[in-house]
Amino acid sequence: MPKTFSIKTLGCKLKQYESPLIATRLTDRGWRAVPFGETADLVIINTCTVTDRSDKKCRSYIRQGARFAAGGRVIVTGCLAENRPEELAAMGEVLRVLGNTGREDLIAFAGEAAGIQEVRPLSAEGESPLPFFHTRGFLKIQDGCDGSCSYCVVPSVRGLPSSRPLPEIREHARRLAEAGCPELVLTGITIGKYLWEGRDLASLVRELLTLDGVFRIRITSLEPRHVTPALREVFSSERVCRHLHLPLQSGSDRILSLMNRPYSAAEYRRVVRDLKEQVPRLALGTDIIIGFPGETAADFGESLRLAEECEFSYVHQFTFSPRTGTPAASMEYGLSRGELEERGRRMRELSAAMGLAYRQGFVGEVLPSVIEKNRGGEGYTAVSDNYIKIHLPDTPGVAVQSGRIVPVLLREAGPEGNYGVVASG
């Protein structure tokens, strides 16, 4: 019987690439994957370290994972393993700590720990994992960050920006498309920093659009200053999703300065204006931090006003959580829990209202959507190119195939969900 393994993935979309890569390397050596939560010979926790809170969550999953590991201990990798290796190694539930650069050591140690021989050699294709329990293929194009945001530890655990060679990305994308993957999600730490032999992100997208296959490309999160005219132009292709995540963090210039963000509210506003002029009806999401040290009611009011002006389709809001070792961790932040909860409530209400208005603007339209089988429920979920999730009920006599791009008619958009049907013809 082959040895079994499971992986728990925590953190950003880049981890959705890295965990499948680990899984590919293990399966190429004869291991069998099982879902996290089932007993396995090897349990791997791929960690995040963006805040102290996320560190605590990772440690909880390490303890939980040890209960499912046949030997009672787990291998820990990822960003927390890079940032706090000694602390993790001291945990009784941890067998080995291997950081972001220790993937080869992880695979070698896995074989040693299980006492097995390699069943078959790792192929070159092992560097290009196919989707792993997903209908979307995560395509890593870049790693690292040279930013200096006062609240962020990521540059110290991911290193300086480095770009994956374009031919390697193209080959990975070709394999995903050939396997029938309907959506390629470009991932990295700061993908707007992509640069390989003079080719930038816009050039990369144009290159991928020359590949054969029925697939679309989703550009995930970009820093405001990385939205170039050439990048705006690639959204003119029907195969590039009308969706972009553009972190704001605050609408107050004073707070942006304390955060050490490299733009002003006015600059951000211009980026959004130019995007929406060139890409009509774009789904635009953002991040906003609530209660950053020194944030006054007036500062928060500026965040609300700018968010409303930008008409985001969603807002990911985060209550400020100090990250040990960053400048912001030593700043004074004295808001009461009640004040934080009130600001969070107001931002959530605005986000919900803007999102509903955006979705309702597409009722009665047919949207190209990737079909996913609902987990543990009935029917299907369709994810449109502009990131609207549409519930498709089971309909007798109507065949719905998951993992395909199909036309979906959005019939209803409401605060509790969106509903539609596969369009005929």
Side-chain angles (χ1 to χ4, degrees):
M1 291 290 291
K3 295 289 184 177
T4 59
F5 73 95
S6 68
I7 302 178
K8 178 63 182 179
T9 306
L10 300 150
C12 63
K13 282 187 172 61
L14 183 55
K15 298 294 177 64
Q16 305 301 325
Y17 169 88
E18 292 172 340
S19 286
L21 180 54
I22 294 169
T24 298
R25 287 186 173 280
L26 287 171
T27 54
D28 273 1
R29 284 163 163 77
W31 292 72
R32 179 172 64 86
V34 299
F36 181 78
E38 294 185 10
T39 299
D41 295 297
L42 179 69
V43 175
I44 300 166
I45 312 295
N46 193 359
T47 58
C48 172
T49 191
V50 68
T51 66
D52 287 357
R53 239 177 242 165
S54 62
D55 286 4
K56 183 178 180 181
K57 182 178 180 181
C58 288
R59 291 188 181 94
S60 175
Y61 273 109
I62 288 169
R63 288 187 285 271
Q64 181 180 340
R67 296 198 294 270
F68 305 129
R73 294 195 291 170
V74 303
I75 291 180
V76 184
T77 187
C79 292
L80 181 57
E82 191 76 29
N83 196 38
R84 295 283 189 270
E86 296 85 1
E87 293 177 18
L88 294 179
M91 294 180 65
E93 298 88 353
V94 174
L95 180 65
R96 181 67 66 90
V97 179
L98 298 162
N100 287 319
T101 59
R103 190 175 297 124
E104 293 301 325
D105 292 337
L106 188 158
I107 302 304
F109 180 73
E112 294 170 8
I116 64 172
Q117 299 287 325
E118 291 187 7
V119 176
R120 52 186 181 274
L122 176 68
S123 65
E125 294 176 336
E127 285 294 348
S128 300
L130 294 178
F132 187 61
F133 306 139
H134 287 286
T135 56
R136 289 184 285 278
F138 291 89
L139 189 59
K140 179 181 178 180
I141 67 170
Q142 179 278 339
D143 203 344
C145 177
D146 57 1
S148 55
C149 298
S150 64
Y151 52 83
C152 185
V153 74
V154 168
S156 66
V157 296
R158 300 299 310 202
L160 294 173
S162 61
S163 297
R164 192 179 178 192
L166 191 149
E168 186 178 309
I169 298 171
R170 179 187 168 90
E171 175 59 17
H172 185 180
R174 184 196 65 76
R175 291 182 61 239
L176 288 167
E178 190 177 73
C181 182
E183 184 173 300
L184 308 183
V185 183
L186 306 187
T187 66
I189 298 299
T190 48
I191 65 172
K193 284 276 187 178
Y194 183 82
L195 188 65
W196 185 81
E197 295 190 352
R199 309 287 294 275
D200 61 6
L201 179 59
S203 299
L204 169 63
V205 174
R206 288 195 296 267
E207 179 74 20
L208 297 181
L209 290 172
T210 67
L211 294 172
D212 294 330
V214 182
F215 67 90
R216 65 193 189 190
I217 297 171
R218 190 175 297 278
I219 301 170
T220 47
S221 181
L222 285 180
E223 288 296 315
R225 287 190 171 178
H226 297 162
V227 181
T228 64
L231 191 63
R232 293 197 302 267
E233 182 62 32
V234 302
F235 283 97
S236 63
S237 170
E238 292 183 354
R239 296 171 68 192
V240 177
C241 295
R242 297 171 294 170
H243 166 229
L244 187 63
H245 191 87
L246 196 70
L248 169 59
Q249 309 303 3
S250 176
S252 162
D253 283 339
R254 192 177 70 84
I255 297 300
L256 287 172
S257 178
L258 288 172
M259 291 177 170
N260 206 27
R261 296 289 285 172
Y263 53 84
S264 66
E267 288 177 278
Y268 188 95
R269 189 178 287 109
R270 285 194 295 272
V271 171
V272 171
R273 180 200 63 202
D274 292 344
L275 265 170
K276 293 199 171 187
E277 284 180 357
Q278 194 156 350
V279 192
R281 308 176 83 192
L282 174 76
L284 187 64
T286 198
D287 297 329
I288 293 179
I289 298 174
I290 305 294
F292 189 82
E295 182 188 76
T296 65
D299 294 320
F300 176 69
E302 290 181 37
S303 293
L304 284 174
R305 284 191 291 277
L306 184 51
E308 187 171 18
E309 182 181 334
C310 291
E311 297 182 319
F312 294 117
S313 59
Y314 63 87
V315 174
H316 288 162
Q317 68 165 65
F318 303 89
T319 299
F320 174 73
S321 176
R323 186 66 190 92
T324 302
T326 63
S330 60
M331 295 179 184
E332 297 270 341
Y333 58 102
L335 290 178
S336 68
R337 177 176 295 182
E339 289 172 310
L340 288 172
E341 289 177 351
E342 173 63 15
R343 291 181 189 182
R345 179 192 64 78
R346 292 174 66 188
M347 187 62 74
R348 285 193 300 273
E349 288 180 353
L350 176 59
S351 176
M354 292 188 297
L356 180 59
Y358 179 78
R359 300 193 306 274
Q360 287 179 335
F362 291 89
V363 170
E365 295 190 27
V366 174
L367 305 172
S369 305
V370 171
I371 306 300
E372 299 178 345
K373 181 69 176 176
N374 283 346
R375 297 179 183 178
E378 296 182 353
Y380 294 80
T381 295
V383 182
S384 70
D385 72 309
N386 58 335
Y387 213 56
I388 298 177
K389 295 183 179 181
I390 307 167
H391 177 65
L392 306 177
D394 283 327
T395 305
V398 176
V400 178
Q401 186 174 355
S402 63
R404 299 281 299 277
I405 299 176
V406 301
V408 171
L409 172 64
L410 178 60
R411 284 184 165 175
E412 178 185 347
E416 303 303 321
N418 314 299
Y419 301 88
V421 295
V422 174
S424 60

